[in-house]
Amino acid sequence: MASQQNSNGSESLPGLKGAKKKFTRQEWLTLYVLGSVNLASTICISVQAPFYPAEAEKKGASSTIYGLVFGVFEIVSFLSSPIFGKYINVIGPKFMLNAGIITAALCCIMFGFLDLINSLNEFVGFSFAVRIVEALGASAALTAAFAITASVFKDSIGTTFATLEVFYGLGYIIGPTVGGFAFSLGGFKFPFIFTGSFLVIIGVTVYFTLPSPESEVEQTNANLIAMITVPSVFMNIMAVMITSSSMGYYAAILEPHLREFNLTPVQIGLMFIVSGTMYAIHAPLIGWLCDHGIKPKHCCAVGDVLIILGCCLIGPAPFLPSPTILWMCILGLMMHGLGVACVLVSCFIDSVKSAMQNGFSDDLCTYALVSGLWASAFSFGAFLGPSVAGILFDHFGFRLGTIFIMVTQAIMLLAVLCFICFEKKLGSEIRKREKAQCLSTDRIIPSRKGATKWRTEARYSPGNSCLSYGSLSTTVTSIEVSGS
């Protein structure tokens, strides 16, 4: 690896980030605009949760049918996100972002007029059709937003990605609340028209304020299959999928589990946002720590442990001799939310680093592939979790069903620990080999005797030795001894 010489004469290594600089005004604007995209998109996605099931039942739809209307969004996102990530260099990141926003916004508005359809088959058919196209638009927008963010903020990927995740999580928390309130004011149409129009405004703002990164997009050899076959990236994808499935698991059956406490609807709603709030609060901190020296895989392992402990308390676990206690549920949900933040944020950062260590370019195409895979894994887990939850709850009950979450998280924890041990051993062997190479290539520059002093030259390391680790540079150290 060739070295590069700075203006002050010192040498730096390609690929190593320098000191983190403060964000410029344009960078702050970019971050806020993309955060607004995440917020508005997820509000549109989740706005119908409080009232669409009742409307569907009026048309004669069963819970299975309208459940699939919700679930098809995640399946389409799972299938389409990697494709959008792969072809972002062909479509163009800003065009993909704007087209996705407008598509999702128009579909959201169209969804509000479905109550005018009286036929059950037509109502269900159009519900699926609009929801599928909306999922394509939202997936394109979110994949482009993550990729652009990673490309613009290369020195602080963890912090900025976590900030976008805060907006993403807040959207899912705010969406049902806005939907219920808007429905009470204006009926079925108003929530969709209101949130869809808000997303249109965001799209127009993005078009005029977001700097175009198309010039940074180059044709590279980034390949989706090659990305998945990177062991560390594949492990991170599985971790994201399993973690998001735990979120979906509790979203589906937490309410029946809490019925024994006779909580009011408001209190139950607050219970649902405990985990999401902990996630939103701590995600930026997790990203900042990963940007400032904490290894992402270590953070992921901590997250797996917290999720397992949280599951043990929410149930509680069947092997704990304790009845269901409300304060234990709240504490468990808090631990679960913190664990989710640790896993989801760290896995994105580690996937980017692992891809580049395995030959992928440090460009927007790589970030887009990682973003697409991350979003795909999250969506599949969000679909898998509620599906498995209903089956387990019906056949085994809540407490026994949580073993599914604990076992899958324990398997991921074991896999992450194995990776940590392997990488530590591999790194130690590489350092020993490079050190031996450096010592074998050193050469002694003979001492010279001057008229009034002796001058001794230290060892000199060639420029191509050990440079990849940044441990040595092409310098000559002199020791001068004055006197006769």
Side-chain angles (χ1 to χ4, degrees):
M1 183 182 296
S3 61
Q4 297 172 346
Q5 190 162 357
N6 299 328
S7 59
N8 60 1
S10 62
E11 293 195 352
S12 63
L13 299 174
L16 297 178
K17 305 296 182 188
K20 293 179 174 60
K21 60 182 180 65
K22 293 183 179 180
F23 289 169
T24 65
R25 180 178 298 179
Q26 184 62 55
E27 288 174 334
W28 278 115
L29 178 62
T30 299
L31 187 60
Y32 287 136
V33 167
L34 294 177
S36 299
V37 172
N38 280 33
L39 178 67
S41 297
T42 48
I43 288 176
C44 289
I45 293 168
S46 58
V47 70
Q48 70 269 34
F51 55 87
Y52 177 79
E55 185 67 26
E57 288 178 355
K58 290 179 184 179
K59 307 291 185 182
S62 65
S63 57
T64 301
I65 292 176
Y66 63 71
L68 289 174
V69 172
F70 282 92
V72 73
F73 186 97
E74 305 297 347
I75 288 296
V76 173
S77 297
F78 163 71
L79 295 174
S80 62
S81 293
I83 299 174
F84 286 127
K86 178 175 176 59
Y87 291 104
I88 193 171
N89 61 326
V90 177
I91 301 173
K94 188 173 180 180
F95 178 80
M96 179 185 289
L97 178 64
N98 281 279
I101 293 172
I102 298 301
T103 300
L106 294 178
C107 287
C108 182
I109 294 173
M110 289 175 59
F111 207 94
F113 292 90
L114 293 180
D115 66 326
L116 300 178
I117 301 175
N118 294 319
S119 169
L120 172 61
N121 291 335
E122 293 179 1
F123 176 80
V124 172
F126 278 105
S127 294
F128 273 109
V130 175
R131 190 74 169 164
I132 288 171
V133 178
E134 183 181 12
L136 291 173
S139 297
L142 295 176
T143 300
F146 283 139
I148 293 172
T149 302
S151 178
V152 173
F153 302 94
K154 293 183 179 181
D155 291 340
S156 53
I157 293 176
T159 304
T160 51
F161 173 78
T163 302
L164 290 190
E165 278 298 287
V166 171
F167 285 100
Y168 193 84
L170 287 176
Y172 274 113
I173 295 172
I174 296 173
T177 305
V178 171
F181 182 72
F183 179 78
S184 65
L185 290 178
F188 188 87
K189 297 181 183 64
F190 184 62
F192 298 103
I193 295 174
F194 175 75
T195 55
S197 300
F198 176 62
L199 189 54
V200 169
I201 295 173
I202 296 296
V204 174
T205 303
V206 167
Y207 179 81
F208 285 105
T209 62
L210 189 68
S212 180
E214 275 86 355
S215 59
E216 300 178 8
V217 182
E218 300 175 356
Q219 295 294 331
T220 66
N221 294 324
N223 183 273
L224 181 62
I225 302 300
M227 177 77 75
I228 297 175
T229 55
V230 175
S232 187
V233 173
F234 180 78
M235 186 202 69
N236 289 324
I237 292 172
M238 296 301 297
V240 170
M241 184 186 71
I242 290 173
T243 300
S244 64
S245 70
S246 73
M247 298 170 65
Y249 182 92
Y250 287 117
I253 61 174
L254 182 61
E255 187 273 331
H257 177 60
L258 299 175
R259 286 176 186 171
E260 63 180 275
F261 299 112
N262 297 316
L263 302 177
T264 66
V266 174
Q267 291 173 327
I268 292 176
L270 292 175
M271 292 291 291
F272 269 96
I273 68 173
V274 168
S275 181
T277 302
M278 288 294 292
Y279 171 77
I281 291 174
H282 290 94
L285 175 61
I286 301 302
W288 184 87
L289 290 174
C290 290
D291 279 338
H292 290 78
I294 300 297
K295 294 184 178 180
K297 284 190 176 66
H298 293 180
C299 186
C300 182
V302 172
D304 289 330
V305 172
L306 287 171
I307 293 174
I308 293 171
L309 293 177
C311 292
C312 289
L313 295 177
I314 296 171
F319 51 79
L320 294 179
S322 172
T324 303
I325 303 174
L326 185 59
W327 70 264
M328 288 179 61
C329 290
I330 296 174
L331 179 60
L333 288 170
M334 293 175 66
M335 297 177 70
H336 180 267
L338 180 56
V340 168
C342 290
V343 174
L344 295 185
V345 174
S346 64
C347 284
F348 182 86
I349 301 168
D350 190 65
S351 294
V352 172
K353 293 181 178 180
S354 299
M356 293 180 185
Q357 289 170 358
N358 284 270
F360 285 82
S361 303
D362 184 3
D363 58 18
L364 190 139
C365 293
T366 297
Y367 302 135
L369 278 179
V370 173
S371 301
L373 288 172
W374 188 96
S376 177
F378 184 91
S379 297
F380 186 75
F383 171 79
L384 181 65
S387 304
V388 173
I391 297 173
L392 294 178
F393 186 78
D394 288 340
H395 290 83
F396 302 102
F398 188 91
R399 295 185 67 169
L400 281 174
T402 54
I403 293 179
F404 166 75
I405 302 296
M406 288 185 282
V407 169
T408 53
Q409 289 293 339
I411 292 173
M412 276 316 310
L413 175 61
L414 182 61
V416 173
L417 293 176
C418 289
F419 261 86
I420 292 174
C421 294
F422 173 76
E423 289 181 350
K424 184 177 181 180
K425 182 179 179 181
L426 181 62
S428 177
E429 291 178 354
I430 292 176
R431 283 191 294 272
K432 289 179 181 179
R433 185 166 63 250
E434 290 292 332
K435 183 177 180 181
Q437 179 184 355
C438 290
L439 293 177
S440 65
T441 56
D442 279 354
R443 62 180 182 270
I444 299 295
I445 300 177
S447 301
R448 301 193 305 270
K449 183 178 180 180
T452 60
K453 59 184 178 182
W454 291 83
R455 181 177 177 87
T456 305
E457 305 283 0
R459 286 182 179 272
Y460 171 83
S461 296
N464 60 356
S465 175
C466 295
L467 214 52
S468 60
Y469 287 90
S471 56
L472 296 175
S473 60
T474 310
T475 58
V476 178
T477 303
S478 299
I479 303 174
E480 294 189 359
V481 182
S482 301
S484 59

